[in-house]
Amino acid sequence: MTKLSFNIDETPTPESKADIVAEMIRFMALRIEPVDFGTILARLMEVFDAPEEDIGSEVQRAYFTLLRAGLLTSNDYDPVNSAAVIRVCTVAQPSKSLTDFIWDEPEWSEDSELFND
């Protein structure tokens, strides 16, 4: 179990924020079915042995960051306006690009810009 470390102002350190994002990606990457946000939050609270008041806002920020980055999709995210909300019915799942990466199914060819420098 990784413990979070906090700055003097009681916010997680950059290393702890990176741990939160990494664990959220790790948890979601193998999911096929949608996962409700409460389950994601509960998982991260368990992994870091942290109460919601210590970790909840950073989990939300990490969640929104991964949505905007295109690694997660959600029924409550509007990518056109980059707007998301978290409600009781909010669910998320890995994006096609994350799923393709995990299952080693390249979504680009050698002719794509990623291979051209």
Side-chain angles (χ1 to χ4, degrees):
M1 173 182 347
T2 302
K3 286 295 227 180
L4 297 178
S5 55
F6 294 87
N7 295 310
I8 291 176
D9 64 358
E10 298 184 17
T11 60
T13 62
E15 293 81 6
S16 288
K17 290 179 183 184
D19 288 341
I20 290 168
V21 168
E23 184 57 36
M24 189 177 296
I25 292 171
R26 185 180 356 271
F27 178 66
M28 293 298 297
L30 295 175
R31 300 297 181 266
I32 296 173
E33 72 288 344
V35 178
D36 65 86
F37 180 79
T39 300
I40 297 168
L41 176 59
R43 167 66 182 187
L44 291 168
M45 289 169 51
E46 177 185 328
V47 166
F48 296 109
D49 191 27
E52 185 174 354
E53 54 270 8
D54 286 352
I55 197 173
S57 62
E58 291 304 324
V59 170
Q60 288 180 8
R61 290 182 64 214
Y63 175 74
F64 292 140
T65 298
L66 294 176
L67 285 172
R68 288 184 188 109
L71 294 175
L72 297 179
T73 62
S74 173
N75 62 324
D76 285 326
Y77 177 60
D78 175 7
V80 173
N81 296 311
S82 192
V85 295
I86 297 174
R87 300 184 282 198
V88 174
C89 63
T90 297
V91 293
Q93 60 191 57
S95 67
K96 181 177 179 341
S97 61
L98 181 56
T99 301
D100 286 349
F101 174 78
I102 295 299
W103 297 105
D104 202 24
E105 296 176 17
E107 62 181 62
W108 56 80
S109 69
E110 291 185 19
D111 296 331
S112 74
E113 293 179 27
L114 294 175
F115 286 95
N116 298 325
D117 285 67

